[in-house]
Amino acid sequence: QVQLVESGGGLVQAGGSLRLSCAASGGTFSSYYMGWFRQAPGKEREFVAAISWSGGNTYYADSVKGRFTISRDNAKNTVYLQMSSLKPEDTAVYYCAARYSRIERIAATEDRDFGSWGQGTQVTVSS
């Protein structure tokens, strides 16, 4: 079971940018499909983005397409979420998640599809 630790959250003004990182340990990182989810106060956790083990396939929620970019560095066991043009509605705790899979086009976007989770990092966007 891979362990995940997120970092990079913080307070930013609307229109600004942040880059989240998720460092993995305890597993073969390149064998994992990685995802980012978020949970705002009073709301259910929702899918944000995901990336295949090779980085060759990426998936995004409609709400973040064109503003967020997911990427990974398998040599550094790290997945990133570059967030730009941030909006107050992006305010949430952001979670990194992993699913053991080397299927290139898995396209899993439900939280039940992922077996490992980080502790989360808070992102707050002020208006």
Side-chain angles (χ1 to χ4, degrees):
Q1 195 85 333
V2 66
Q3 289 81 49
L4 306 172
V5 178
E6 302 97 333
S7 61
L11 173 64
V12 63
Q13 288 188 331
S17 299
L18 277 177
R19 187 176 81 156
L20 305 183
S21 299
C22 172
S25 62
T28 304
F29 182 68
S30 60
S31 294
Y32 285 84
Y33 174 81
M34 300 298 297
W36 286 96
F37 289 76
R38 66 187 182 186
Q39 187 167 20
K43 296 187 176 181
E44 293 189 353
R45 188 162 55 188
E46 64 175 3
F47 170 76
V48 175
I51 188 167
S52 63
W53 70 271
S54 70
N57 286 277
T58 56
Y59 309 91
Y60 296 94
D62 288 343
S63 59
V64 306
K65 276 181 184 176
R67 300 188 299 122
F68 290 11
T69 301
I70 188 171
S71 62
R72 67 190 295 160
D73 185 337
N74 286 346
K76 294 183 178 180
N77 293 350
T78 302
V79 62
Y80 305 96
L81 185 68
Q82 177 68 47
M83 306 185 294
S84 303
S85 301
L86 283 161
K87 305 175 182 179
E89 51 264 45
D90 294 318
T91 294
V93 177
Y94 282 71
Y95 297 92
C96 176
R99 174 189 171 114
Y100 186 83
S101 176
R102 293 202 106 195
I103 298 174
E104 188 58 32
R105 295 181 181 177
I106 186 173
T109 60
E110 301 290 333
D111 55 4
R112 64 176 178 266
D113 295 326
F114 293 80
S116 299
W117 293 84
Q119 82 290 347
T121 185
Q122 176 70 47
V123 172
T124 303
V125 184
S126 63
S127 57

